Amino acid sequence: MLERIKKLNDGKDMTINTMSKINYQNVGYNKENSATTTTQAENTIVAIQRIEESLTRVQEHKRRCIESLHKMDIDDNRLELELMKMEIEAAKESGEYENQDNGEALIEALNLKAKEVWADENTE
């Protein structure tokens, strides 16, 4: 698309869109055989603006897709943190978790990380 814009910029002021040729053969108002050529052209700037608007729409859709992917990634991280917390709590309750001090530190670290993730999501 950008190459097409460059090509239009380097070209003339008007760009030909279509050309057509009509042959008239013995019609009532024209007793001779004749041909008429019709050319439709538009200003090059209008063509460039149309291409740029298309690029803008594509970029906006691309931005939305990237934003959605980012939100899904944040949600996945949040769910993973919650699952880790639940596993640690379950291990504590069942007595499988021996080192209580490290467990508390790990839960605190997970809570801090979760706050960072949620803060990042709120800033966007």
Side-chain angles (χ1 to χ4, degrees):
M1 288 284 211
L2 294 175
E3 290 177 12
R4 197 166 154 201
I5 290 173
K6 186 174 187 269
K7 183 179 174 184
L8 287 171
N9 268 336
D10 294 341
K12 299 178 182 178
D13 289 339
M14 298 294 282
T15 304
I16 296 174
N17 288 339
T18 59
M19 291 180 73
S20 61
K21 184 176 182 179
I22 301 172
N23 290 323
Y24 297 103
Q25 297 176 350
N26 295 328
V27 292
Y29 61 89
N30 187 359
K31 299 293 182 189
E32 304 173 5
N33 291 337
S34 65
T36 303
T37 303
T38 305
T39 304
Q40 291 181 347
E42 74 177 332
N43 192 338
T44 302
I45 293 173
V46 173
I48 291 171
Q49 287 174 337
R50 197 174 60 246
I51 295 169
E52 287 175 344
E53 287 170 2
S54 298
L55 282 172
T56 301
R57 283 192 303 272
V58 168
Q59 286 296 86
E60 178 60 24
H61 289 294
K62 184 177 175 181
R63 184 194 64 79
R64 286 181 189 167
C65 288
I66 290 170
E67 186 176 279
S68 295
L69 288 172
H70 182 68
K71 283 182 181 179
M72 287 189 296
D73 187 43
I74 288 174
D75 289 343
D76 287 346
N77 289 341
R78 182 184 295 169
L79 289 173
E80 189 176 326
L81 288 172
E82 290 296 323
L83 180 64
M84 289 173 69
K85 282 183 190 179
M86 290 173 47
E87 288 173 350
I88 290 173
E89 289 296 324
K92 277 184 179 180
E93 289 177 7
S94 67
E96 294 175 10
Y97 201 77
E98 296 173 4
N99 192 348
Q100 297 292 331
D101 294 331
N102 286 342
E104 294 296 326
L106 182 60
I107 288 177
E108 184 63 29
L110 288 174
N111 285 332
L112 289 173
K113 186 65 177 173
K115 287 179 185 177
E116 288 176 20
V117 169
W118 291 324
D120 287 344
E121 183 180 281
N122 291 335
T123 58
E124 296 171 357

